[in-house]
Amino acid sequence: MSLAALEAKIEKEVTAYNQLQKEYSKIVSGRQTLESQLKENELVQTEFELLDDEATIYKMIGPVLVKQEQAEAKTNVKKRLDFIRSEINRAEKQIKDLDVKLEKKKIELMSLQTEFQKRKEAASA
Amino acid sequence: MSKSAQPQQQSIDLTTLPLPQLQAVRQQLDEEITHLTSSYTQLKQAQAKFSACIEALGAVTPDHQDRAILVPLTNSLYVPGKLNNTERVIVDVGTGYYVDKKVEDAKAFYKRKVEFLQGNLDTLQQTIIAKQNNMRVLVEVLQYKMMLARKEAAEQQATQAGSATGTVSA
């Protein structure tokens, strides 16, 4: 491989690496949003547990409050919690995968760069 | 609260780290502290809001029944109204759910919220104090190292200058 071709390859790898990093931070911030949603829903759930049986629950739909059965509201929140938890698991897995990918790319890049340096020195010598 | 697991790993001997790395650690610590303190103020504000709710509920009493009030539609627009139920209020419990509660229960609800936030505030404050302590130690080590480096540079210069004058006088 010529020196120029090697340089082009390094450049390509660097952009690929940056792309991966962008994806990584996107998923991490998504993970944080999920965490706060989880916390909020958990708080609502504990609140529902404290209600007496005849308490009325309303759900905000657009600008209006619609009356909702307690049992229905409770199962809704439970379903949402299950969904959020599975989403968190998915995000965690993605983060782990990306971690491995990033590490691999980094090593690849470093070896390419040392090779490039070596070749350049050899050429100038 | 994901940061609370960290203090344990902070057991590296700072004096063994080179200057640039120390500076990097310092920057990271700085960022952490600003992030934590801003979270702290946000929590404090949320707590103040809940406290304000408790206070507002204090005005919803049976002797205010049928009193004329001004209902805020926006920050600056009000319409006249009448308080026709001083027994029950509707409370926002989060994620779009609202619950019809007795005034006393609503107060208890907000009190719970305030206490919950207070717990978080306390742990957060401890973390901030620990980080600030770390920062202080770090800055001390950093200054010491910098002083050493300066002294070394000065000594080197002195010996160089000494040998230079030496050759001139010889």
Side-chain angles (χ1 to χ4, degrees):
Chain A
M1 212 194 299
S2 73
L3 204 62
L6 191 62
E7 199 174 357
K9 191 168 182 219
I10 289 178
E11 212 161 287
K12 220 179 92 197
E13 291 292 317
V14 167
T15 28
Y17 182 76
N18 286 340
Q19 196 64 43
L20 272 180
Q21 217 156 27
K22 235 189 247 165
E23 205 178 318
Y24 183 80
S25 54
K26 209 173 96 192
I27 294 177
V28 167
S29 81
R31 167 77 178 79
Q32 278 164 349
T33 324
L34 281 172
E35 184 69 34
S36 57
Q37 281 173 348
L38 179 74
K39 281 276 160 328
E40 194 179 355
N41 277 287
E42 273 173 358
L43 283 177
V44 174
Q45 194 178 39
T46 46
E47 198 49 48
F48 280 179
E49 293 308 316
L50 292 167
L51 293 178
D52 42 12
D53 292 334
E54 68 265 29
T56 327
I57 297 178
Y58 300 90
K59 173 103 187 78
M60 172 91 92
I61 300 172
V64 290
L65 291 179
V66 180
K67 200 166 159 179
Q68 199 172 47
E69 287 307 312
Q70 231 190 74
E72 200 188 337
K74 276 182 183 166
T75 44
N76 266 351
V77 172
K78 206 164 167 307
K79 247 190 281 172
R80 228 186 298 170
L81 276 170
D82 288 342
F83 174 73
I84 293 168
R85 287 206 182 99
S86 75
E87 280 293 296
I88 285 178
N89 279 339
R90 210 170 59 96
E92 285 286 339
K93 211 180 142 282
Q94 274 180 315
I95 289 172
K96 238 181 239 156
D97 284 354
L98 268 178
D99 249 343
V100 175
K101 261 196 214 162
L102 270 172
E103 198 51 38
K104 226 174 88 189
K105 264 268 181 290
K106 203 162 119 190
I107 293 168
E108 233 176 84
L109 249 178
M110 259 158 43
S111 74
L112 274 176
Q113 257 157 356
T114 42
E115 198 190 326
F116 178 71
Q117 213 62 40
K118 243 191 253 159
R119 292 264 217 107
K120 220 166 107 184
E121 267 162 39
S124 65
Chain B
M1 296 310 106
S2 56
K3 295 246 162 73
S4 53
Q6 266 190 350
Q8 210 45 44
Q9 68 176 61
Q10 206 75 32
S11 53
I12 319 157
D13 185 6
L14 284 173
T15 48
T16 60
L17 291 178
L19 259 182
Q21 225 172 325
L22 278 177
Q23 257 143 2
V25 174
R26 182 196 167 147
Q27 205 183 352
Q28 203 198 334
L29 253 182
D30 223 12
E31 272 165 28
E32 272 175 36
I33 290 175
T34 23
H35 177 77
L36 290 175
T37 30
S38 88
S39 307
Y40 188 86
T41 16
Q42 274 173 1
L43 275 182
K44 259 279 185 250
Q45 279 164 1
Q47 199 189 29
K49 249 193 238 165
F50 287 131
S51 300
C53 288
I54 297 180
E55 224 169 280
L57 279 172
V60 186
T61 59
D63 25 305
H64 286 169
Q65 178 87 32
D66 287 333
R67 280 270 201 103
I69 55 166
L70 288 172
V71 185
L73 292 185
T74 70
N75 277 338
S76 54
L77 179 65
Y78 297 81
V79 289
K82 211 162 65 176
L83 212 50
N84 76 24
N85 186 344
T86 51
E87 311 252 299
R88 305 191 77 91
V89 286
I90 293 176
V91 175
D92 180 0
V93 293
T95 66
Y97 282 110
Y98 290 73
V99 179
D100 189 55
K101 279 177 182 293
K102 277 201 227 84
V103 171
E104 281 315 306
D105 292 344
K107 273 189 198 162
F109 168 81
Y110 286 121
K111 211 182 243 160
R112 264 205 309 281
K113 290 274 167 201
V114 169
E115 273 158 19
F116 172 72
L117 286 179
Q118 191 57 50
N120 278 345
L121 279 166
D122 289 345
T123 40
L124 192 56
Q125 189 169 33
Q126 305 239 304
T127 327
I128 291 174
I129 289 174
K131 293 267 176 208
Q132 276 167 342
N133 280 341
N134 282 346
M135 187 63 153
R136 234 194 351 261
V137 174
L138 181 73
V139 167
E140 255 167 48
V141 174
L142 202 65
Q143 271 166 353
Y144 176 70
K145 282 243 172 178
M146 262 158 49
M147 198 194 72
L148 271 191
R150 257 204 304 277
K151 218 167 158 187
E152 225 165 77
E155 261 165 30
Q156 226 163 46
Q157 226 166 27
T159 52
Q160 260 169 18
S163 61
T165 48
T167 45
V168 167
S169 66

